[in-house]
Amino acid sequence: MIAAALRDVTKRFGSLVALDRVDLELRSGEVLALLGPNGAGKTTALSVLLGLRRADAGRVELFGSDPRRPASRAAVGVTPQESSFPPTARVREIVDLVGVHFAAPVRTADLLDRFGLAECARRQVGGLSGGERRRLSVALAFVGRPLAVFLDEPTTGLDVEARRAVWSELRIYAANGGTILLTTHYLEEADALASRIALLARGRMTIEGSPDQLASAYGTLEDAFLTLTRGAV
């Protein structure tokens, strides 16, 4: 089953072509890592898939429907590249507020424990470290027990221990049938989590395959990425 898809999608911002006839499928139950240099179109691709931006050409599907329909997005959890929270709100209050939008949300205490935020529950968000705020942003993607999560640079700003803790939660979610689309600058993260990797450059899809397939074709995953960024693909 296809959870989400871009089919021959083009998206422009004035004279800039952010997505150039991109084809991308997210299959149910897989972890797809979308890689590419800054400005490659990764965040734009997620925005179009989530119905936050309208494609200029092509077709977009989210669970078989138009992602601009609220019902299509109800089963999706999202961590945007940047998140902003009311600084005086407490961590528990933020999670509770998101939870009321779902029929059967994860218990706040359980979610905070899973993402290493239990000790922060009563703290104001303005007093959190950057890494703690990022973990909160990732945790919120899972409040509504989503069928799929879209994570834009989910572990940016996290130290090694916190990053690996988030990886562990993502692996558990995927092992239980969850679907993940993530963008990342960490090749180690893509290699550790993804069942499939897609590479974007200058708005075009250039390489796609499993980590092993890309490593076999280019020597290492890093070599594949360097080939991409040098424009040799």
Side-chain angles (χ1 to χ4, degrees):
M1 178 181 174
I2 304 302
L6 300 175
R7 305 197 186 279
D8 202 29
V9 164
T10 295
K11 176 62 183 177
R12 298 181 180 87
F13 297 100
S15 61
L16 173 66
V17 181
L19 298 176
D20 188 1
R21 302 184 65 179
V22 169
D23 286 300
L24 179 68
E25 286 187 344
L26 175 64
R27 303 158 191 160
S28 293
E30 77 170 342
V31 180
L32 173 60
L34 187 59
L35 304 183
N38 289 333
K42 303 184 299 297
T43 296
T44 300
L46 264 62
S47 296
V48 172
L49 280 168
L50 290 167
L52 301 176
R53 295 189 182 277
R54 184 192 298 267
D56 295 313
R59 191 169 81 255
V60 186
E61 301 171 10
L62 184 62
F63 291 111
S65 184
D66 186 334
R68 289 172 295 172
R69 296 180 56 198
S72 301
R73 300 194 298 266
V76 180
V78 180
T79 295
Q81 192 172 86
E82 297 182 4
S83 301
S84 179
F85 303 109
T88 59
R90 301 187 187 279
V91 171
R92 175 180 288 277
E93 293 172 340
I94 295 290
V95 179
D96 287 343
L97 177 62
V98 174
V100 299
H101 293 84
F102 299 95
V106 176
R107 289 182 63 248
T108 295
D110 293 341
L111 192 73
L112 295 178
D113 186 59
R114 282 168 49 187
F115 286 90
L117 294 167
E119 294 183 359
C120 303
R122 297 180 60 83
R123 288 172 57 189
Q124 292 183 334
V125 177
L128 299 181
S129 69
E132 288 167 338
R133 285 195 297 272
R134 193 58 184 161
R135 277 185 281 146
L136 174 59
S137 185
V138 174
L140 292 175
F142 295 87
V143 172
R145 305 181 191 273
L147 297 178
V149 291
F150 287 23
L151 311 174
D152 199 355
E153 304 287 350
T155 63
T156 296
L158 300 186
D159 60 30
V160 172
E161 182 178 352
R163 183 176 298 128
R164 293 187 182 278
V166 170
W167 290 1
S168 178
E169 284 302 318
L170 297 184
R171 288 191 183 104
I172 291 170
Y173 173 75
N176 287 318
T179 302
I180 301 174
L181 173 57
L182 67 93
T183 72
T184 180
H185 283 297
Y186 300 116
L187 297 183
E188 180 189 8
E189 183 162 88
D191 195 28
L193 296 174
S195 51
R196 189 163 56 95
I197 293 172
L199 300 178
L200 270 174
R202 296 174 298 280
R204 294 183 176 181
M205 195 64 64
T206 59
I207 306 172
E208 188 176 337
S210 70
D212 287 344
Q213 288 171 334
L214 296 186
S216 176
Y218 292 90
T220 66
L221 184 56
E222 183 177 6
D223 289 336
F225 186 79
L226 289 174
T227 300
L228 164 78
T229 57
R230 289 170 181 162
V233 175

